[in-house]
Amino acid sequence: RKEVEQDPGPFNVPEGATVAFNCTYSNSASQSFFWYRQDCRKEPKLLMSVYSSGNEDGRFTAQLNRASQYISLLIRDSKLSDSATYLCVVSLYNQGGKLIFGQGTELSVKP
Amino acid sequence: NAGVTQTPKFQVLKTGQSMTLQCAQDMNHNSMYWYRQDPGMGLRLIYYSASEGTTDKGEVPNGYNVSRLNKREFSLRLESAAPSQTSVYFCASSEAPGTATYEQYFGPGTRLTVT
């Protein structure tokens, strides 16, 4: 079983749609959680950290459920510029802060 | 402020050749990392350096060596390239994990093909 699993997609949605990505992680010692965004053939960039209380940044909302070992990302009012691959990432502090990446979920927003 | 830089951007090697991928960061970060990214596999950690003077193996270290030359630079060496090492290689850096600004910043990547 992969340590971090995501639905690979692709998700094809029209502009203005709401789309949700799900992610599960297997190591209960995971302590920090992130969503990174990766544009085609570019480097990953941090989109947002994920906190236990849930957090929102504009059109983006991230949720964490430690009991279920589940992380989600909700994008409201999708824009063409949201088209990218979204990477679910967890960190284990007791292993030098290494990040474990999911394989990514591809999103394509169409006009 | 260039962030994380990597050289070269592209490289083609023949099986058995060696090369070194260079990485430098100008953010005064303590930790540096090397990843490879293959289709459908996500990013996998090859080696990391939690601080200057230390290096540790990641998930896929076989066939690679690293050197943390100083706080700024972290190089990755392929001693005898194999086709299985065809991949996109990313270098990243961060402040110490657990800090409020623990975010990994990535370089633009090196696209390596081994024939």
Side-chain angles (χ1 to χ4, degrees):
Chain A
R1 181 184 172 190
K2 291 181 182 175
E3 289 196 67
V4 180
E5 294 209 55
Q6 297 180 248
D7 182 340
F11 283 49
N12 296 303
V13 303
E15 269 187 295
T18 295
V19 60
F21 302 138
N22 302 317
C23 171
T24 57
Y25 60 95
S26 60
N27 193 328
S28 58
S30 300
Q31 292 187 298
S32 292
F33 308 89
F34 310 90
W35 284 100
Y36 276 69
R37 169 188 169 134
Q38 186 173 25
D39 293 294
C40 186
R41 300 180 68 81
K42 298 284 186 100
E43 70 273 22
K45 293 184 179 179
L46 180 67
L47 177 66
M48 58 198 302
S49 300
V50 188
Y51 305 116
S52 295
S53 54
N55 48 300
E56 188 173 308
D57 183 2
R59 298 181 292 108
F60 298 84
T61 300
Q63 297 278 354
L64 168 64
N65 184 323
R66 285 187 184 270
S68 301
Q69 296 183 195
Y70 170 89
I71 307 160
S72 66
L73 177 69
L74 184 76
I75 305 176
R76 291 181 298 279
D77 189 22
S78 300
K79 311 291 185 194
L80 296 176
S81 57
D82 294 333
S83 296
T85 296
Y86 291 83
L87 305 170
C88 176
V89 186
V90 304
S91 172
L92 300 157
Y93 285 168
N94 63 353
Q95 292 188 30
K98 292 185 293 185
L99 296 184
I100 311 296
F101 286 78
Q103 76 270 41
T105 298
E106 185 182 345
L107 171 66
S108 180
V109 182
K110 306 290 188 187
Chain B
N1 187 335
V4 180
T5 57
Q6 291 183 236
T7 56
K9 286 190 167 53
F10 300 93
Q11 183 71 50
V12 178
L13 292 178
K14 293 189 188 321
T15 298
Q17 288 185 316
S18 62
M19 79 163 294
T20 299
L21 281 62
Q22 307 285 355
C23 174
Q25 53 91 8
D26 61 4
M27 295 174 281
N28 201 35
H29 285 164
N30 289 307
S31 303
M32 297 186 73
Y33 311 82
W34 275 105
Y35 295 90
R36 61 177 288 174
Q37 186 174 34
D38 303 293
M41 297 291 292
L43 280 90
R44 292 182 292 169
L45 184 66
I46 305 170
Y47 270 93
Y48 68 103
S49 171
S51 61
E52 188 179 355
T54 69
T55 61
D56 286 286
K57 294 178 181 179
E59 182 185 354
V60 288
N62 291 343
Y64 305 96
N65 285 302
V66 290
S67 296
R68 184 74 183 265
L69 304 169
N70 47 55
K71 192 171 185 180
R72 290 188 63 247
E73 298 172 288
F74 188 39
S75 63
L76 178 73
R77 182 160 178 84
L78 286 70
E79 290 292 352
S80 179
S84 60
Q85 293 178 304
T86 293
S87 189
V88 180
Y89 291 85
F90 288 104
C91 177
S93 72
S94 70
E95 295 187 11
T99 60
T101 55
Y102 176 48
E103 169 186 351
Q104 287 195 12
Y105 294 82
F106 286 79
T110 294
R111 284 157 181 78
L112 175 67
T113 301
V114 183
T115 61

